[in-house]
Amino acid sequence: MKRIITILASALILSCLTIGSAFAAEVVQGKCLGYDTAAATIEVEEYDINFSKDHPYGHSTGIRSLFNVKEAKIGITPETGDVLRIAYDVKGSQKMALKVMNVSKQDLSKK
Amino acid sequence: MKKRTLGIFATVMAFNTLLAKAAWAGGKKASDLVVVADTRLINSEIMRYFADLYNTNILLFAVWAVVLTAVMGCVLGWLMDKVMERTGIDLHSRKIVEH
């Protein structure tokens, strides 16, 4: 009986931990073009991952994306021109932001 | 006299605490510190899993941190046990030699 409980508890813990693989979000980084608090949207000009000394956040790809931030956790309030990193999920035609990090005002690499 | 001194001391301490709280409350509300892990740069599957978990489900990430910390503690304990065993110190049995 004790053995069965141990096996069941282990299976439960393992399934709880492996269920995490179902959680996957896309990440984008880019320049903030506008933050509409009324509509809860952020428009971003996406950057690539070719980092250099002159372009520490990457180069602009020219792609503009609109994110719905209604349910997102937002750090330092984004302003136009700030570099943002957004974790998001695609739901239908909308990009639903989960977390918004203000990279230029909260650069961890500077510390 | 002693009672009076204690009373004055308690009043001063309470005033000090209130003053500090008032000073903290007077400042602008600090914004949350939000960090997004950049998964665009990660190639390793396991690192990607943890980075995704950090971005999407912080609670499960915390559970993983607790589990891994416990596992690492067990491994370190087992390793130290082996090291102590090799030095000749017997930690498995307790003999009282004084009696």
Side-chain angles (χ1 to χ4, degrees), chain B residues 79-92:
Chain B
L79 263 175
M80 274 313 288
D81 203 36
K82 290 285 159 202
V83 170
M84 295 302 275
E85 213 174 87
R86 292 203 73 167
T87 60
I89 299 167
D90 182 15
L91 294 172
H92 295 286

Side-chain angles (χ1 to χ4, degrees), chain A residues 17 23 27 75 85 99 101 106, chain B residues 34-36 49 54 56-57:
Chain A
L17 294 176
F23 299 101
V27 170
R85 191 182 295 158
K99 279 165 126 185
M101 176 185 179
Q106 186 192 315
Chain B
V34 176
V35 177
V36 175
Y49 168 77
Y54 183 80
T56 55
N57 193 336

Side-chain angles (χ1 to χ4, degrees), chain A residues 54-109:
Chain A
D54 296 330
H55 299 90
Y57 305 119
H59 298 77
S60 172
T61 58
I63 301 166
R64 286 174 160 218
S65 299
L66 193 71
F67 295 91
N68 186 326
V69 292
K70 203 175 262 180
E71 287 164 21
K73 195 169 165 58
I74 302 171
I76 298 167
T77 310
E79 285 170 12
T80 306
D82 286 350
V83 176
L84 307 177
R85 191 182 295 158
I86 302 172
Y88 68 96
D89 265 338
V90 180
K91 280 181 186 164
S93 60
Q94 274 201 323
K95 290 178 176 177
M96 304 294 290
L98 303 168
K99 279 165 126 185
V100 179
M101 176 185 179
N102 196 329
V103 180
S104 48
K105 286 184 179 160
Q106 186 192 315
D107 196 348
L108 301 173
S109 61

Side-chain angles (χ1 to χ4, degrees), chain B residues 33-97:
Chain B
L33 192 74
V34 176
V35 177
V36 175
D38 199 349
T39 53
R40 300 173 302 162
L41 308 165
I42 300 169
N43 297 319
S44 158
E45 281 297 315
I46 192 134
M47 295 297 275
R48 170 91 199 198
Y49 168 77
F50 282 111
D52 271 334
L53 212 57
Y54 183 80
N55 285 341
T56 55
N57 193 336
I58 199 74
L59 188 72
L60 198 57
F61 183 83
V63 171
W64 259 117
V66 170
V67 169
L68 288 178
T69 308
V71 169
M72 282 191 286
C74 288
V75 170
L76 275 175
W78 180 81
L79 263 175
M80 274 313 288
D81 203 36
K82 290 285 159 202
V83 170
M84 295 302 275
E85 213 174 87
R86 292 203 73 167
T87 60
I89 299 167
D90 182 15
L91 294 172
H92 295 286
S93 58
R94 204 175 129 201
K95 290 170 198 151
I96 303 169
V97 289

